[in-house]
Amino acid sequence: MLSVTASRIGQLLFSTSVVASPTLPHLALQLRERIWHCCASPSTTNELQFAYRSLRRALRNSHGVQLPDDARGLLTRKDLHNALDVLASSAQSDDVLLIIDLLDDMMPVFGHVVTADTHRTIVHALADGGHTAALLKWLTTMPTKPGNIQPTLEFWHTFMNHCLMCSSIQMMSRGTNVMRSRGPPANNETYRFLVQKVFMSSSHHFLWIIRIINHISRGKLPFDDGLLGIMLEGFNDLGLPVQAARVEEVYRSRFLNNQLSHGRRGRDFNMQLAQTFRARGQVAAVKLYHSLRGHGFQPSQATLMSLLTDARNAKDIAFWEQTFEIQADSRVWSKVIRNALLLRKPAAVPEIYRAARAAGVPVDLALAGPVIRSLCSSSLQAPTDAALDLAVGIYREIEQVPSSEAKFANTGPQVALFQTLLRALSASSNKTKYMPIAIDLLEEMKRRGLSDSAHITSLVILLMRSASSFAEAFEAYKTVRRRTQIPFHAKGYAAILHTFTALKFDNRTIPPWQDYFQIVKDMQEDGSPVLPHLYTNMLRQMARMVGRAKPSNDLDHIHDLQKIVYTAREVQHLLSVSTTVAPDTPFWNQLMDTYQRAGAFDDARRIWDKLYHEGRADAASVSIIFDACGYARAGRTAVQIFANLRASGYRLNLRNWHTWLECLCRLDQFDDAARYFCLEMGSGPHGVPPDEEGARILLKFANHRGIGDEVRMRIRRFLPMLWEKLPPDIVRAPY
């Protein structure tokens, strides 16, 4: 080793003083790294906040940066949006304050205009993070924030869609009230969210629906048959046909000026028919119907819904259609399909659907949705080819029907149906047939403006996990990226890379680093920050794949270890010559651990020397090098490293002590191990009290060597208080 005085080593390892002020590009790089770490793994934003404040402070103090053009290159618009995404996902009070500061700085400092897309990034992150109150407050005050952006219906519908899954009807209603007072007027699409949420709630359904109808009426919105259908379907699903009929009466009377008396009679007659049918059967209900006809009763879709509450086959619908001389619409057929699913009769679903199509019912989401979900439902086995073909065919029928009513009326259900199909297609083993279809679906979503990076990322991950080899997984990534032409965000790339390294096809398979690096290169080309964390993940996966239980003469195992060492060296070389990536201590630690696990002790030792003399070694570095020395039986090196650390003033933590004890035991230095454990580990003002785990490590090796009783005697003598607390399995000698 190089000759370095103890005091100098201490300064290198543990000094917190700043030798020189970091440059502005270096501070910008640090900020990108903090953003990346927050994107790639859940963590607090404290370091991100500190990094941004440091950069901002340096910009203020710099005499060389006078104009926005000088600072424009430090952070791109994507960098700033990524930071806003991370901060809004956390949404703590300090995060929100920094968001405001960032927005204030975007134009005057970094030269980027605050746009609607900037606010969209914040709104989506708040929604994804589940921060309902913060999301509503942001939308309410958006016009007063930098950019002075007035939230459009798109922004408010993001809030409504979020509340649909993550909040209450009260909060959703509150947002609608804010819209009416400050924002764009709500439309029928807005009230669809509210109506759906009403039926996801546990009570007061009728009162909420009447209140919504009143708001719709005051807003002078046009009649919406689809919205009415959702209301009627909700009540009928709850077994409340009387309230369904009453709601239909109120809604139609407000918007179509129907005769109120006729609606009331229809409601009462529907109830009578349903009660008679359930109590006395089909014949009695038909007889009552003919009697009611004499009083002017005209059956409607609500009548069919009332009588088909428990129906589960097409024959029931056909009978009442013939009796009433009306055709059931898609909502009625959908109700019968759901009944069949509730009764666990999925085989009947395609039959009911075909009967509906034969009857001339147009294909819409209400009809096709439950059928497709049934065919693609998750089970112990992936859907069959026949089921997938039928599901895709039904989806295509929606697209082929010319009527606008057959199209999706709500983007939420549309996206959900896409995702259901994509999951099923990607789970199929017939990749040759179904991967092109899955990509076609994504391209269709893109044409409709409904596809985004998150959907593309999900498909890639699904295809990778169902692949049979790394080559197939990488080909799936390339194909999706090429066909969709939608760039992944930083989070998406992080998820894809993590999935790729976590794939396991056999115990000896190593992820092909060339393919991994290609994904990293694509990430860089798309403008996402490429940081050491990406390479650390791959090294960690390689280290996990090294088994210590293999015999040393297993030639296949030796070959696998050589491949791992070769790959690790390639990664090290790549980052050593890179001008865009600055390896951090966690990266070097993982590289050192990968080397030592693969039996390349000299490589691991060189990494340690680099970290140690550059003052970048941390507690994890110490544990790894102790572990490496123990397995390599490098006793002289281990003692030298330990002595240098003690001389420099470094204080071992509990994990360091455990690995040091294990290292000594592997070197057969049991006397030294027992002495350190019993006499030195807990000594001094900064000592670490010996614990059960340390005793367990010592005795595990000592028992194996047949000297367990001697070690027990020393622990009992020098650490009597610990001895009294040790569990019986440690205290008792093995038989």
Side-chain angles (χ1 to χ4, degrees):
M1 291 180 62
L2 296 174
S3 176
V4 184
T5 65
S7 60
R8 178 55 180 155
I9 294 173
Q11 292 173 358
L12 285 169
L13 277 172
F14 312 112
S15 174
T16 58
S17 61
V18 178
V19 177
S21 299
T23 63
L24 290 174
H26 180 72
L27 289 172
L29 177 61
Q30 284 186 332
L31 176 59
R32 290 192 188 94
E33 291 179 353
R34 298 283 70 79
I35 294 170
W36 168 256
H37 286 305
C38 290
C39 286
S41 59
S43 59
T44 65
T45 59
N46 294 339
E47 292 185 356
L48 187 156
Q49 294 183 34
F50 178 79
Y52 184 78
R53 302 294 186 197
S54 299
L55 174 61
R56 191 66 182 86
R57 189 182 309 112
L59 282 168
R60 283 198 304 269
N61 297 336
S62 174
H63 298 293
V65 178
Q66 300 291 339
L67 300 172
D69 288 345
D70 300 319
R72 186 186 300 272
L74 291 175
L75 294 176
T76 66
R77 174 177 293 277
K78 190 164 188 176
D79 290 332
L80 294 168
H81 281 196
N82 286 339
L84 292 170
D85 181 278
V86 168
L87 293 168
S89 296
S90 175
Q92 300 298 313
S93 56
D94 289 343
D95 299 321
V96 176
L97 291 175
L98 184 55
I99 288 174
I100 301 300
D101 290 345
L102 255 169
L103 293 178
D104 283 335
D105 290 343
M106 275 189 68
M107 183 59 198
V109 177
F110 301 107
H112 301 295
V113 178
V114 177
T115 64
D117 193 48
T118 306
H119 282 274
R120 187 177 292 108
T121 298
I122 298 169
V123 167
H124 285 178
L126 289 171
D128 292 342
H131 307 296
T132 309
L135 175 56
L136 179 57
K137 184 176 180 181
W138 189 270
L139 290 172
T140 304
T141 58
M142 252 180 67
T144 66
K145 288 183 167 59
N148 305 116
I149 305 296
Q150 180 72 31
T152 62
L153 276 177
E154 176 203 346
F155 283 89
W156 283 106
H157 287 177
T158 297
F159 169 78
M160 303 292 280
N161 191 56
H162 160 77
C163 289
L164 199 61
M165 303 307 298
C166 303
S167 190
S168 63
I169 181 67
Q170 289 81 5
M171 180 62 79
M172 189 182 284
S173 177
R174 182 179 166 194
T176 310
N177 291 335
V178 174
M179 282 183 64
R180 283 194 294 267
S181 62
R182 306 187 185 187
N187 61 12
N188 279 323
E189 182 74 9
T190 311
Y191 289 107
R192 282 174 184 264
F193 288 107
L194 269 170
V195 171
Q196 291 177 50
K197 188 64 177 179
V198 166
F199 293 107
M200 295 170 64
S201 306
S202 58
S203 60
H204 305 300
H205 307 99
F206 183 76
L207 294 177
W208 273 109
I209 293 298
I210 294 300
R211 186 181 302 173
I212 291 170
I213 291 175
N214 289 336
H215 285 308
I216 294 173
S217 177
R218 284 196 290 269
K220 301 186 185 307
L221 296 178
F223 174 80
D224 188 332
D225 186 66
L227 182 58
L228 175 60
I230 296 174
M231 298 179 192
L232 300 182
E233 183 178 347
F235 283 113
N236 282 300
D237 284 347
L238 293 171
L240 301 171
V242 175
Q243 292 190 0
R246 188 177 302 171
V247 163
E248 182 175 16
E249 170 194 328
V250 173
Y251 187 79
R252 290 186 181 278
S253 68
R254 297 288 181 84
F255 302 101
L256 298 182
N257 297 317
N258 280 358
Q259 297 180 4
L260 187 59
S261 58
H262 174 77
R264 182 176 293 117
R265 287 200 304 271
R267 176 199 70 204
D268 295 338
F269 291 160
N270 288 341
M271 180 179 64
Q272 291 179 48
L273 282 170
Q275 290 174 343
T276 301
F277 175 60
R278 279 190 284 271
R280 298 165 54 194
Q282 195 177 80
V283 175
V286 172
K287 184 177 180 180
L288 175 61
Y289 163 66
H290 289 300
S291 173
L292 295 175
R293 285 290 298 268
H295 294 83
F297 172 63
Q298 294 293 331
S300 65
Q301 297 298 319
T303 310
L304 288 172
M305 290 287 256
S306 300
L307 288 165
L308 294 167
T309 301
D310 300 318
R312 79 260 319 179
N313 59 66
K315 293 180 180 179
D316 295 330
I317 299 178
F319 174 82
W320 290 113
E321 282 183 325
Q322 184 178 1
T323 301
F324 296 147
E325 298 179 344
I326 61 174
Q327 184 182 36
D329 64 14
S330 62
R331 296 189 304 274
V332 176
W333 285 92
S334 176
K335 172 63 178 171
V336 177
I337 289 172
R338 287 196 301 275
N339 288 344
L341 291 173
L342 289 172
L343 292 171
R344 299 182 183 276
K345 294 184 177 181
V349 171
E351 180 183 344
I352 299 172
Y353 175 79
R354 292 189 187 99
R357 295 296 289 125
V361 179
V363 187
D364 59 7
L365 189 60
L367 179 63
V371 184
I372 293 175
R373 284 189 290 272
S374 171
L375 294 167
C376 299
S377 61
S378 59
S379 60
L380 295 178
Q381 295 181 341
T384 64
D385 284 8
L388 289 177
D389 290 341
L390 182 56
V392 173
I394 292 172
Y395 171 77
R396 297 301 184 200
E397 285 186 327
I398 301 176
E399 297 304 306
Q400 292 168 5
V401 174
S403 170
S404 61
E405 294 180 358
K407 300 297 183 181
F408 297 103
N410 192 334
T411 58
Q414 179 177 6
V415 171
L417 190 60
F418 269 120
Q419 291 172 335
T420 298
L421 271 173
L422 289 177
R423 280 193 296 269
L425 292 168
S426 59
S428 172
S429 59
N430 193 348
K431 295 291 185 299
T432 303
K433 178 178 181 180
Y434 292 113
M435 194 168 100
I437 296 176
I439 296 175
D440 286 344
L441 289 175
L442 278 171
E443 291 179 335
E444 176 62 26
M445 290 177 73
K446 181 182 177 182
R447 285 193 294 270
R448 290 173 168 270
L450 299 171
S451 182
D452 58 20
S453 179
H455 297 131
I456 310 301
T457 301
S458 297
L459 177 62
V460 171
I461 290 173
L462 287 168
L463 291 171
M464 280 185 166
R465 287 175 176 170
S466 59
S468 58
S469 66
F470 278 109
E472 186 177 307
F474 183 64
E475 183 61 31
Y477 158 78
K478 289 196 302 180
T479 302
V480 172
R481 186 173 185 268
R482 182 180 66 253
R483 288 280 301 274
T484 60
Q485 295 294 307
I486 297 178
F488 303 103
H489 295 322
K491 288 182 179 179
Y493 272 113
I496 290 170
L497 289 167
H498 175 76
T499 300
F500 192 63
T501 56
L503 295 175
K504 185 177 180 181
F505 301 105
D506 59 65
N507 291 330
R508 293 174 175 171
T509 302
I510 301 174
W513 61 269
Q514 298 94 333
D515 294 344
Y516 187 92
F517 291 165
Q518 181 58 53
I519 300 175
V520 173
K521 182 180 178 182
D522 293 341
M523 178 180 182
Q524 193 169 22
E525 289 177 354
D526 285 342
S528 295
V530 176
L531 303 172
H533 177 81
L534 295 172
Y535 301 95
T536 305
N537 282 344
M538 183 179 180
L539 292 171
R540 187 178 295 115
Q541 173 67 2
M542 291 163 55
R544 282 198 296 264
M545 296 167 64
V546 179
R548 298 193 184 278
K550 296 283 185 178
S552 59
N553 60 353
D554 185 330
L555 295 180
D556 288 338
H557 181 59
I558 292 173
H559 177 67
D560 287 340
L561 293 182
Q562 291 173 342
K563 286 172 59 180
I564 288 176
V565 172
Y566 171 75
T567 303
R569 287 172 179 167
E570 289 290 336
V571 173
Q572 181 179 355
H573 173 72
L574 181 71
L575 266 69
S576 297
V577 300
S578 173
T579 59
T580 59
V581 181
D584 54 9
T585 297
F587 166 80
W588 291 117
N589 284 344
Q590 188 58 61
L591 182 62
M592 178 166 52
D593 189 50
T594 302
Y595 279 139
Q596 71 94 4
R597 286 175 182 269
F601 175 73
D602 290 341
D603 292 88
R605 169 67 187 275
R606 282 191 286 270
I607 299 297
W608 163 258
D609 289 343
K610 172 183 175 63
L611 289 173
Y612 183 72
H613 292 298
E614 291 179 357
R616 299 169 62 186
D618 60 12
S621 312
V622 173
S623 293
I624 292 168
I625 195 60
F626 284 164
D627 209 23
C629 290
Y631 278 102
R633 299 189 64 80
R636 182 176 299 179
T637 301
V639 171
Q640 183 181 17
I641 290 173
F642 184 83
N644 288 340
L645 288 171
R646 297 294 291 273
S648 71
Y650 176 74
R651 296 189 293 272
L652 275 68
N653 64 21
L654 186 60
R655 173 61 181 159
N656 294 155
W657 277 111
H658 287 164
T659 53
W660 174 238
L661 294 173
E662 183 172 334
C663 174
L664 292 174
C665 289
R666 292 188 184 280
L667 295 169
D668 294 330
Q669 298 180 17
F670 290 99
D671 285 342
D672 287 340
R675 174 172 56 83
Y676 277 114
F677 183 67
C678 295
L679 300 178
E680 296 194 28
M681 184 173 170
S683 64
H686 303 296
V688 179
D691 66 340
E692 176 186 323
E693 181 61 23
R696 192 177 295 278
I697 291 171
L698 271 176
L699 289 169
K700 179 183 73 172
F701 288 94
N703 289 333
H704 183 70
R705 290 295 304 274
I707 58 174
D709 289 339
E710 180 182 344
V711 173
R712 286 184 183 80
M713 182 184 67
R714 294 190 186 186
I715 295 174
R716 185 168 57 244
R717 177 183 176 186
F718 293 104
L719 300 171
M721 296 180 64
L722 174 63
W723 179 260
E724 293 298 326
K725 298 177 182 178
L726 293 179
D729 67 308
I730 296 181
V731 173
R732 289 197 300 266
Y735 292 105

